[in-house]
Amino acid sequence: MEYLLPALIFGGLLVGLAAALTVAEKFLVNYGICKIDVNAGDRELEVDGGQTLLSALNESKIFIPSACGGRGSCGYCKVTVLSGGGPVLPTETPFLTRAEVRSGMRLACQVKVREDVEIKIPEDLLNVKLFTAEVAGLRELTHDMVEATFALQNPAEISQRAGQYIQLQAPSPEGIVSRAYSISSPPSDAHSVQIVVRLVPGGIGSTYVHNLNEGDVVTFTGPYGDFRLNEDPDAAIVCVGGGSGMAPLKNVATTVLEQWPERECWFFFGCRATGDVFYLNEFEELAKKHPNFKVIYALSEPEEASDWSGETGFIHLSLDRHLETSDRKRQAFMCGPPPMIEAVMKVLEEKGFDPDDMFYDEF
Amino acid sequence: MAFVTVDDVLCTAEGFEERLVGYYKALCDGSTREGVRLLADYMGRHRRRLSAALERLDPDERERICACPICYEPVAPDVSCFKDRELAPDATAHEVLDVAIEIDECLVELYRQVLRQDVEQEVKDLFESLVRSEERDEVVLKKIKATDYF
């Protein structure tokens, strides 16, 4: 006890000092107005100094993707800071490669704006908007998957590329947090956005979506994402998903068939058991109308008593069986857990796919 | 009172990571489930986060940091998968992921023991970065578990 008490007092003093410094910086240190130069003069912002770069950009309606509410745990909010960002923090390094650090890449949520800053961000991010929308439809797909359709209110239209995603704002005990969900509805449907969400026990975003009711109002930012569909109708499209990784692939396949009804398109989807299967009937109907649309579902653990007549095993094995090795132009889009994506990419490379023609969305 | 250096702690962590890579390899070779084999192979190949963190340092800085003293020797990770909870060959992917998450938590605790001490800022930075890496991996593993694919 005689050793414990001084240690506790010392520890308490340190905590108190750290808290006092934080409060002092917040209320007493005035960095004044700082300028943020975005993309060499494309936008010039004047913001209150002392806040994070992520908050400052959000306030100025430049929405950088972030899934952790600025706590530095998701690594999504990467921007290139050309000047004025201070040194890279240890909270950032796990998310940045050496090449990224050398190029000035930073996590916007970890950079404090204390002076004028010059940054570079992808042009696409300047087109990201904040939307409000009404829940227009909720459809149960499986025991833990729901499809939610949001009718856009303000703005009333969205311009997206197939495979992009939104960041839905969900309430949490620590305030509003954003969660990324891919858009499953095609770009031709400019007035609404549809997402597919699996309920994760304890998950803030998925619990929020699963508890929504028709008529509720939601807010989100978007669209984000790097998926780029090849416009050449001779280039075959291969979509591969697993688990809950469906939404961006549904969007890509629907868009392909809408724009090029004869285009070759493969749709592979893997899950564990029959209770996890969804959208199969819809895709089979599409396949009847589009002879070049091939749909392959595979179950890794089909119930013995089930009447499953489709393929069994993991989806990368189905891919290996069906795709031929070729040097023709093909594009692949993947969505699922990282080990699945690795396994699929390995097969695609063996089949002759160019790595530049592979796009993936983890989870 | 034992005086140790940062290098001693990093050696402990490195040895732990090596054992884990071996553990995942054995799991990958011995499991009767294809999903577990895929998972274990993936986790074994993505396990070496300590060397990745050290590679980010320049050699001089790394040498200096490794020589820094630490007052109290951290208690080495004590993970059930190495003793009383050997996984059966037919263990499910969820069981494997639970063990992997436990491993991350043990390493976070090891690194936090250093962070709680009065150490130089560069040492703090390195261990803070390691904590973040393990916490990030924990989130990934929980997400993989939530996809229910394997």
Side-chain angles (χ1 to χ4, degrees), chain A residues 21 25 91 120 133 136 138 177 201 212 238-239 252 272 286-287 341 343:
Chain A
L21 282 171
E25 187 179 14
T91 47
K120 196 174 151 203
L138 292 163
V177 296
L212 284 171
V238 177
C239 299
V252 167
R272 284 176 63 183
L286 274 176
I341 287 175

Side-chain angles (χ1 to χ4, degrees), chain A residues 133-187:
Chain A
E134 187 182 287
V135 179
L138 292 163
R139 180 183 163 202
E140 208 171 280
L141 299 172
T142 68
H143 64 285
D144 61 356
M145 300 280 291
V146 71
E147 173 197 270
T149 306
F150 304 139
L152 302 183
Q153 290 179 329
N154 185 28
E157 283 189 25
I158 187 168
S159 171
Q160 51 128 334
R161 289 193 310 272
Q164 287 194 295
Y165 68 92
I166 59 165
Q167 291 234 233
L168 184 66
Q169 298 183 345
S172 81
E174 292 161 13
I176 298 292
V177 296
S178 293
R179 290 291 181 268
Y181 293 108
S182 291
I183 304 170
S184 60
S185 49

